[in-house]
Amino acid sequence: SKVTVVGAGNVGATCANVLTVNQVASEVVLLDIKEGVAEGKAMDIMQTQPTLGFATKVIGVTSDYSKTANSDVVVITSGLPRKPGMTREELIGVNAGIVNSVVASIIKESPNAILVIVSNPMDTMTYLTFKTAGLPKNRVIGMGGALDSSRFTYYLSQALNTNGNNIEAMVIGGHGDTTMIPLKRLANCKGVAVSDILSAEVLDKVVADTMVGGATLTKLLGTSAWMAPGASAAFLVKSILNDEKRVLPCCVYLEGEYKHNDICIGVPTVIGKNGVEAILDVKLNAEEQELFDKSAAAVQVMNDVLKEMKL
Ligand code: NAI
């Protein structure tokens, strides 16, 4: 199988590295607009082959879309990341133009590919891609909830002093500091509700830390994080290529699910060889549905900004 990763920056190169060393695909193409960068990063990854011993081949190209032809999955990470103090929403001006042109070039070469959108503001970039690419909705997937869920799991594992592998926790809604919804009611440690183990105060702190998890890293690093984002995108690709039918919160086009229409936002999905194979209805309670409605309204504001833009 073949995977293209567009954008050979921090997230794209990390994603390509995880895909390659874990042999998720047989062939990985890394593409960037910056002369030589994708070639250099691919060469660097290939030079870990003797040490790590994988069979996957990764190549890098500068804007040569012909090399991406017939990809099974394409991950789009091209665009500006946020700097400390910025919100993801502030990136829309530059990134909408980049994502729009990249998607058009990708579709020409790989009309059957499943697209995974990472560029921010991700929910709106996923909506843009769905509206412009002309692909069925199961083949346009935004990655954000998988990462936010990993961060939620991380903070829970710290609070519970346990290994994150014991925890199941999900974040739905928009991929923004104020729009994401860590589902604390459903989070569990080996089947035991975390709300039965942690005090309400501690659990609320975990939720608050999760929501600004990305901003915390951006402040520490001086730019947006890439290890967990790159790995989360690669994990999503793995669930597609291996037809794992994993339950992952992903940003997908809604037509009435969770009471919303004509919007791309994070909901629990089943991810397999056809991309989004199902949207799971986890039966939100009134409080959670209200948070979801607010989140959708905030994503809608960005989609409206997009509609006013000349791309
Ligand atoms: P980066 O600046 O390290 O890399 C971005 C790369 O995109 C650069 O190498 C740049 O040359 C390339 N690029 C720009 N325009 C291009 C074009 N037209 N064609 C091909 N390549 C192009 O940024 P980083 O940290 O890798 O982040 C990438 C994006 O992912 C940002 O928008 C960031 O906000 C987003 N992100 C999303 C996450 C999520 O969970 N959805 C998590 C982390 C980052």
Side-chain angles (χ1 to χ4, degrees):
S1 51
K2 177 170 176 177
V3 179
T4 289
V5 181
V6 182
N10 285 334
V11 176
T14 305
C15 179
N17 186 49
V18 174
L19 290 170
T20 303
V21 305
N22 292 301
Q23 309 184 106
V24 173
S26 51
E27 193 184 350
V28 178
V29 178
L30 189 55
L31 181 147
D32 204 283
I33 199 170
K34 258 190 251 154
E35 190 73 43
V37 170
E39 288 86 339
K41 296 211 177 170
M43 200 185 284
D44 195 16
I45 295 169
M46 282 311 283
Q47 290 173 2
T48 69
Q49 194 175 41
T51 336
L52 303 179
F54 48 83
T56 298
K57 186 179 172 199
V58 55
I59 65 160
V61 296
T62 303
S63 301
D64 180 0
Y65 281 90
S66 70
K67 295 287 193 313
T68 70
N70 301 318
S71 293
D72 299 294
V73 183
V74 178
V75 183
I76 297 175
T77 77
S78 46
L80 291 186
R82 57 180 172 160
K83 293 282 169 217
M86 275 178 93
T87 66
R88 296 174 178 92
E89 288 77 6
E90 286 172 69
L91 301 166
I92 191 170
V94 179
N95 288 357
I98 293 175
V99 169
N100 198 42
S101 71
V102 163
V103 167
S105 308
I106 281 295
I107 296 295
K108 264 186 226 150
E109 300 293 339
S110 303
N112 300 316
I114 293 171
L115 306 187
V116 176
I117 314 302
V118 178
S119 311
N120 274 319
M122 183 278 292
D123 303 287
T124 299
M125 295 302 104
T126 304
Y127 183 76
L128 167 67
T129 302
F130 177 70
K131 286 290 170 179
T132 56
L135 300 179
K137 60 180 183 172
N138 60 301
R139 281 169 50 203
V140 179
I141 313 173
M143 195 295 292
L147 169 66
D148 297 330
S149 300
S150 293
R151 289 182 173 151
F152 189 20
T153 299
Y154 165 77
Y155 284 112
L156 283 169
S157 74
Q158 299 284 301
L160 292 162
N161 192 23
T162 182
N163 185 308
N165 289 321
N166 295 312
I167 295 167
E168 278 179 341
M170 189 151 52
V171 177
I172 62 168
H175 176 62
D177 292 351
T178 55
T179 61
M180 72 177 73
I181 307 162
L183 287 174
K184 59 181 177 178
R185 179 175 61 92
L186 300 175
N188 69 84
C189 180
K190 287 282 174 205
V192 180
V194 295
S195 54
D196 287 343
I197 311 172
L198 299 170
S199 69
E201 199 184 10
V202 170
L203 189 49
D204 285 342
K205 171 86 165 61
V206 164
V207 166
D209 285 345
T210 301
M211 293 176 76
V212 295
T216 299
L217 286 167
T218 302
K219 205 169 155 201
L220 288 169
L221 298 166
T223 187
S224 161
W226 58 89
M227 298 287 187
S232 299
F235 189 69
L236 189 53
V237 173
K238 181 168 158 282
S239 192
I240 297 168
L241 292 178
N242 295 348
D243 195 24
E244 288 172 8
K245 303 199 194 294
R246 245 173 225 282
V247 175
L248 291 168
C250 290
C251 175
V252 300
Y253 188 71
L254 298 188
E255 289 175 300
E257 297 90 349
Y258 288 83
K259 304 200 171 102
H260 288 271
N261 247 310
D262 193 32
I263 191 168
C264 291
I265 190 166
V267 290
T269 64
V270 176
I271 302 293
K273 65 176 185 316
N274 300 313
V276 184
E277 303 202 340
I279 294 174
L280 300 183
D281 180 5
V282 297
K283 307 275 185 299
L284 301 181
N285 63 26
E287 187 190 337
E288 292 157 350
Q289 183 67 46
E290 197 185 323
L291 288 173
F292 194 88
D293 295 344
K294 272 195 197 146
S295 184
V299 171
Q300 188 60 52
V301 168
M302 294 314 293
N303 290 356
D304 291 340
V305 170
L306 179 77
K307 283 174 191 159
E308 295 300 312
M309 289 175 68
K310 286 203 170 62
L311 295 172

